[in-house]
Amino acid sequence: MKSINELIKEINELKSELHDKDFLLTWEQSPEELERVLKTAQVLKAMRQENIATNVFNNGLGISLFRDNSTRTRFSYASAINMLGLAQQDLDEGKSQIAHGETVRETANMISFCADAIGIRDDMYLGAGNAYMREVGAALDEGVKEGVLPSRPALVNLQCDIDHPTQSMADLAWLEEHFGDLNQLKGKKLAMTWAYSPSYGKPLSVPQGIIGLMTRFGMDVTLAHPEGYDLIPEVVEQARQNAEASGGSFTQVTSMEEAFDGADIVYPKSWAPYQVMERRTELLRAQDHDGLKALEQECLAQNANFKDWHCTEEMMTKTKGGEALYMHCLPADITGVSCKEGEVEEAVFEKYRIATYKEASWKPYVIASMIMNRKYQEPGLVLQQLLDEYKTRVK
C-alpha cells in the first residue's frame, strides 16, 4: 500500500485539465486524468482513516439536485461535500420558481452565488439528462464570465441517461484495491451482463459506464444481454474504440454462460432495452400514464422470458477458478430476499455482500476527488498543505 506522500507525489506528476472542465462522461477524460481522480480519492480516504481533517473550504455550499431516487449516491455526495468543508443544500424543484417558468440558465446562477459544487442526478429521460447538465454548465460559465458568480462551481454527474461516472470510478477504485494495482487489471476478463429483474425501466447508465470505463485500462470486457436489450449504440462503439486504444478487448455475446466463462469479474445487472427507454421518455414527456402502464406490462412480460439470466452458484462455477469477483452497484434484486426471483441468488450475494459494501464505500471519496480536481489546478499541493498542517478531525 502506497503512503500518502507517495500518492501526492504521483498526483503532482500527472497531467490534467480537469480544473477547466466538468466530469460528465468518463471517456471525455484522459487516462492520466482518471488516474489522478483515483489517487486523489485514495489520499482523501487514507487521511480520513488517519483522522486528518480534509476541509479545503472554510465555508460554501454544495448544491444537490436528485430527479430520481437514491441512497448510496445521495449520501455519498453529502459525505463528499461535508468532507471538504461545504454545507449541503438540496434543490427541491417543487419549492422553486422553476414551475413558474424560471429558465435553466437563471436557476443555475441563482443557486450558485456561494456554491462550490453542484451534483446532479438526472437519468429519467433518455437524451435529456446529460444535455441538461451541459446546459447548467454553460450557464455557470456565463455567470462567472459576466461577474455574477465569484467562482465556477464544480459540476458533478451523479448519474445521467448516458453514464454513471461516480459509480464506475468507485468500481474502478475497488478493483484497484482488490487486485493491488491498475496494471494488474490488464488482461482481466470482466463480464458486464444483463440479469433478470421483476421490475422495468432500470437506467442504462451503469452498464454503459462500466463498458465505457473498464475498456480504458486494458481489460477484456464482455457485454452480454439477450437479443433486444441493446445499450446506446454510440456508447458501445466508444467502448470498442477504448479497448483498441488500451490494448484490451471488447466482445458482445448473447449468453450469460459465455460471458461468465473464465471471467475474473462478473457484474450481473438488469437494465431496460435502449428502445424501451426511448419509448418511455416519449410517454413520460406526454404524461401518458396509461401508455406507461401498458409499456411496463409489456416489458415485464418480455423480462420473464429470460429468468435463466440469473447469477447462481452454478453459474459462478464457470468463472475463473469458480471464484470471480462479484460486483453490483446496489441495491441488487436478490432472489428470495428482496424479490421472489431476481438478478442474483442469495448464496452468491451473501458471499460477496461485504465486498459490494467496500465497492460502494469508495463513492464519497471519488466524488470529493472530482470536486477537488475541478476546483484546484494542483490538488496535490492542497492535499500536501493539509497533511503538513495535520489538523485532527476528531479531537
Side-chain angles (χ1 to χ4, degrees):
M1 190 74 176
K2 293 178 181 176
S3 70
I4 294 177
N5 284 315
E6 287 176 315
L7 288 168
I8 290 175
K9 182 177 183 294
E10 291 178 357
I11 290 169
N12 294 334
E13 293 171 350
L14 290 168
K15 294 180 180 179
S16 170
E17 299 297 328
L18 287 171
H19 65 284
D20 207 29
K21 59 183 177 178
D22 294 316
F23 202 114
L24 300 184
L25 300 171
T26 63
W27 46 91
E28 291 178 333
Q29 324 310 328
S30 72
E32 282 189 280
E33 288 168 340
L34 295 173
E35 283 194 53
R36 198 161 91 158
V37 168
L38 290 177
K39 292 183 187 299
T40 303
Q42 289 167 6
V43 171
L44 289 168
K45 187 173 185 179
M47 291 175 74
R48 179 81 174 186
Q49 291 172 337
E50 295 187 22
N51 199 32
I52 302 172
T54 54
N55 297 44
V56 298
F57 302 104
N58 289 324
N59 56 50
L61 287 178
I63 310 296
S64 58
L65 171 57
F66 282 83
R67 288 176 163 171
D68 200 357
N69 296 330
S70 173
T71 300
R72 274 146 296 279
T73 305
R74 182 184 293 274
F75 278 85
S76 292
Y77 179 74
S79 298
I81 61 175
N82 182 270
M83 189 190 310
L84 299 178
L86 300 174
Q88 183 178 14
Q89 179 61 55
D90 189 55
L91 172 57
D92 185 338
E93 293 181 299
K95 296 179 180 178
S96 74
Q97 294 290 354
I98 293 171
H100 293 171
E102 188 173 82
T103 63
V104 173
R105 64 181 181 181
E106 187 168 313
T107 302
N109 278 270
M110 295 305 104
I111 67 175
S112 300
F113 296 137
C114 293
D116 283 294
I118 300 175
I120 302 175
R121 167 169 283 191
D122 188 354
D123 60 1
M124 298 290 287
Y125 297 88
L126 199 62
N130 197 268
Y132 173 76
M133 294 175 189
R134 293 179 191 278
E135 188 176 358
V136 170
L140 296 174
D141 289 338
E142 181 188 45
V144 173
K145 180 182 177 183
E146 299 298 334
V148 176
L149 304 178
S151 64
R152 173 60 154 75
L155 183 60
V156 181
N157 178 357
L158 300 178
Q159 187 173 14
C160 70
D161 51 318
I162 301 174
D163 193 10
H164 196 347
T166 63
Q167 178 65 52
S168 59
M169 287 294 288
D171 291 341
L172 182 61
W174 167 233
L175 286 176
E176 182 177 12
E177 177 187 351
H178 182 77
F179 288 104
D181 189 271
L182 281 181
N183 289 326
Q184 295 298 317
L185 301 183
K186 293 180 179 179
K188 292 284 190 299
K189 180 179 178 180
L190 184 150
M192 180 70 241
T193 81
W194 185 86
Y196 170 74
S197 171
S199 64
Y200 107 108
K202 292 183 186 290
L204 307 169
S205 45
V206 169
Q208 290 176 168
I210 292 300
I211 67 169
L213 179 61
M214 303 310 173
T215 48
R216 304 290 298 278
F217 293 90
M219 300 185 75
D220 294 328
V221 177
T222 297
L223 173 65
H225 57 77
E227 291 185 12
Y229 283 78
D230 305 283
L231 301 179
I232 296 176
E234 291 81 4
V235 179
V236 173
E237 178 55 32
Q238 182 67 56
R240 198 179 310 283
Q241 293 175 15
N242 291 348
E244 185 175 345
S246 73
S249 66
F250 177 68
T251 308
Q252 289 182 267
V253 298
T254 56
S255 162
M256 192 180 213
E257 289 84 352
E258 185 175 352
F260 271 52
D261 185 31
D264 298 280
I265 306 130
V266 295
Y267 206 130
K269 167 79 175 73
S270 184
W271 65 81
Y274 164 58
Q275 295 85 350
V276 166
M277 294 300 278
E278 285 187 316
R279 291 168 58 194
R280 181 170 176 262
T281 293
E282 293 172 2
L283 294 168
L284 281 167
R285 285 179 170 158
Q287 296 185 357
D288 185 348
H289 301 295
D290 290 336
L292 284 167
K293 288 180 181 177
L295 179 62
E296 179 177 8
Q297 293 307 309
E298 176 187 329
C299 293
L300 291 177
Q302 182 181 357
N303 281 4
N305 293 322
F306 304 105
K307 290 185 178 182
D308 56 332
W309 286 69
H310 187 204
C311 184
T312 62
E313 288 184 291
E314 181 182 356
M315 188 71 74
M316 289 294 287
T317 63
K318 302 178 186 302
T319 66
K320 189 173 182 180
E323 292 291 337
L325 177 66
Y326 167 88
M327 297 180 71
H328 199 284
C329 58
L330 302 179
D333 291 327
I334 309 167
T335 301
V337 178
S338 54
C339 58
K340 183 179 178 181
E341 296 172 289
E343 297 167 323
V344 59
E345 199 170 61
E346 181 182 3
V348 175
F349 184 80
E350 190 58 31
K351 179 179 178 180
Y352 294 93
R353 180 172 57 83
I354 296 302
T356 63
Y357 292 177
K358 289 182 178 180
E359 176 188 351
S361 75
W362 275 102
K363 192 178 287 189
Y365 303 103
V366 163
I367 294 172
S369 172
M370 289 177 177
I371 294 170
M372 279 197 67
N373 276 278
R374 179 64 163 108
K375 295 296 291 185
Y376 298 101
Q377 187 169 356
E378 298 292 344
L381 300 182
V382 179
L383 291 167
Q384 186 64 56
Q385 184 177 350
L386 291 173
L387 194 61
D388 293 342
E389 293 175 355
Y390 199 94
K391 293 179 181 179
T392 57
R393 189 184 71 83
V394 179
K395 305 298 184 183

